[in-house]
Amino acid sequence: MVKLAPHLVRPLPLVVPAFEGARPDRLVGVGLNLYDVMSVERGRRRAPTRQARANARCRASRDEGAPELGAEPATDAEVTGEESWSPARHRVISGEEVLELVPALRDREPTSGYLFYDCQTDDVRLVLTVLGEAERFGAVCANRLDVTGPARA
């Protein structure tokens, strides 16, 4: 969604706090690890190949001279010419950082927590954008109609 409709998507930090000296729940951590893997895997399918990165570095080295040994690999943006946002992996944060992000928890005295990211969409604008694109490609869109059966061509 970030690449398809960046104007309708924004990063959203989420916190899962732990209280009373407890460490964050391990099952939540396992779930967040799976979430991280799934989000990275989706990005990898669309990410440029290792060869595309090498080709981008070669093109850049022609303009700037040979790259130094151990230089950073080309980024996706350098290879494709597009900027993209990808959520950071989850991490354990201190109780103080939990309070910075969620001050309303001050009375509960969080001891630590998990911080992870997802994206938030403007669902109304997203639906209207999808409908507009569907109409542009020939779909007929209608609202508040009773469906009585399949349309006949």
Side-chain angles (χ1 to χ4, degrees):
M1 286 297 294
V2 173
K3 284 186 178 184
L4 292 175
H7 61 291
L8 299 176
V9 179
R10 66 182 181 92
L12 179 67
L14 300 165
V15 176
V16 179
F19 302 100
E20 299 176 3
R23 292 176 46 193
D25 187 282
R26 288 184 186 189
L27 284 178
V28 172
V30 169
L32 290 174
N33 275 318
L34 291 171
Y35 187 79
D36 290 342
V37 168
M38 288 187 295
S39 66
V40 169
E41 180 62 29
R42 272 187 248 128
R44 283 186 187 150
R45 280 190 216 127
R46 293 188 200 114
T49 64
R50 200 176 284 174
Q51 184 62 48
R53 287 180 192 279
N55 292 343
R57 287 187 65 208
C58 287
R59 283 191 302 273
S61 69
R62 275 183 263 152
D63 299 332
E64 302 167 6
E68 295 178 23
L69 188 61
E72 289 293 316
T75 65
D76 290 355
E78 291 169 337
V79 175
T80 64
E82 298 177 2
E83 284 293 322
S84 65
W85 178 85
S86 180
R89 288 184 55 88
H90 79 279
R91 63 186 176 95
V92 176
I93 59 175
S94 68
E96 292 80 25
E97 194 170 350
V98 170
L99 289 175
E100 287 176 23
L101 295 167
V102 190
L105 293 177
R106 187 162 310 283
D107 292 343
R108 303 238 357 239
E109 300 176 3
T111 54
S112 62
Y114 285 114
L115 172 66
F116 66 102
Y117 290 86
D118 201 347
C119 288
Q120 183 176 18
T121 62
D122 181 338
D123 57 339
V124 173
R125 287 185 60 205
L126 179 61
V127 168
L128 292 174
T129 300
V130 169
L131 289 173
E133 285 297 299
E135 283 183 329
R136 193 169 74 103
F137 285 95
V140 176
C141 300
N143 194 15
R144 299 183 184 211
L145 296 177
D146 293 330
V147 177
T148 60
R152 291 178 175 48

